[in-house]
């Protein structure tokens, strides 16, 4: 195996960790919700927004995040999303009120919406079409499934032993590792386009529409 071959598989490991973290954070809160409800005085319906704020901003802004990465530079945007994900996770753990936690969870979802499609785009640009790309895609997809499973396994014990804050603090050292290794393992790439067009209005509409339906 050449040095270039080895580097791209190390890069895949880093991207898999990012995918694992994004899905883990979406699911791990489920088992911590009772403790969060007691600790911050949420109502039963209000506590659900700790999850919904993340999922709505994540799902609604995915396409915009991928578009920004393609045009502005995939590694740069990936690192920006990671840089936002780490501090927002730390802020979630230190949130003193329910409103602050929900607001910061939305910021977490935004940063995840930048990281996830950018990681996939980097993967596709790192591996040429063929068996290696298929293998890389399978591993990257599996990391997300493993993250969802791990969240259900560690969320309860982590909350019981250390407190609900640690389901958020857990992301911080992982984000630091991603930031440290990204310049070393990931190549910068972008899509060359004559015009840089974005659709932030469409992304915000897609994000806010489920909220309006829920409220009505």
């Amino acid at each position: 195996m050449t040095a270039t071959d080895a580097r791209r598989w190390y890069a895949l490991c880093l991207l898999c960790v990012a995918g694992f973290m994004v899905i883990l954070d979406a699911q791990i809160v489920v088992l911590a919700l009772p403790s969060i409800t007691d600790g911050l005085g949420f109502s039963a319906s209000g506590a659900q927004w700790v999850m919904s704020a993340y999922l709505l901003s994540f799902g609604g802004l995915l396409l915009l995040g991928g578009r920004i990465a393609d045009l502005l530079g995939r590694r740069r945007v990936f690192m920006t999303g990671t840089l936002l994900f780490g501090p927002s996770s730390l802020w979630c753990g230190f949130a003193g009120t329910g409103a602050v936690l929900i607001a910061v969870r939305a910021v977490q979802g935004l940063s995840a919406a930048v990281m996830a499609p950018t990681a996939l785009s980097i993967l596709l640009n790192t591996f040429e079409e063929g068996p290696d790309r298929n293998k890389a895609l399978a591993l990257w997809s599996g990391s997300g499934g493993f993250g969802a499973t791990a969240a259900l396994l560690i969320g309860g014990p982590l909350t019981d032993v250390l407190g609900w804050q640690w389901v958020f603090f857990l992301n911080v050292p992982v984000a630091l590792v991603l930031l440290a290794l990204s310049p070393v393992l990931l190549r910068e790439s972008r899509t060359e386009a004559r015009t840089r067009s974005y659709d932030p209005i469409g992304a915000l509409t897609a994000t806010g529409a489920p909220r309006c339906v829920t409220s009505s």
Side-chain angles (χ1 to χ4, degrees), residues 95-129:
T97 66
V100 170
L101 180 58
I102 291 172
V104 183
R105 282 288 283 172
V107 175
Q108 263 194 318
L110 183 153
S111 58
V114 171
M115 293 173 62
T118 306
L120 179 58
S121 186
I122 292 172
L123 185 154
L124 294 176
N125 280 272
T126 302
F127 293 87
E128 296 182 358
E129 186 174 356

Side-chain angles (χ1 to χ4, degrees), residues 66-78 118 121-122 124-126 186-196 198:
R67 178 64 174 167
I68 291 173
D70 287 341
L71 295 178
L72 298 185
R74 297 178 179 95
R75 184 178 67 182
R76 177 193 303 175
V77 174
F78 176 80
T118 306
S121 186
I122 292 172
L124 294 176
N125 280 272
T126 302
L186 303 181
R187 292 186 299 110
E188 183 60 282
S189 62
R190 71 185 67 196
T191 299
E192 296 298 333
R194 293 182 178 179
T195 59
R196 296 184 175 184
Y198 308 94

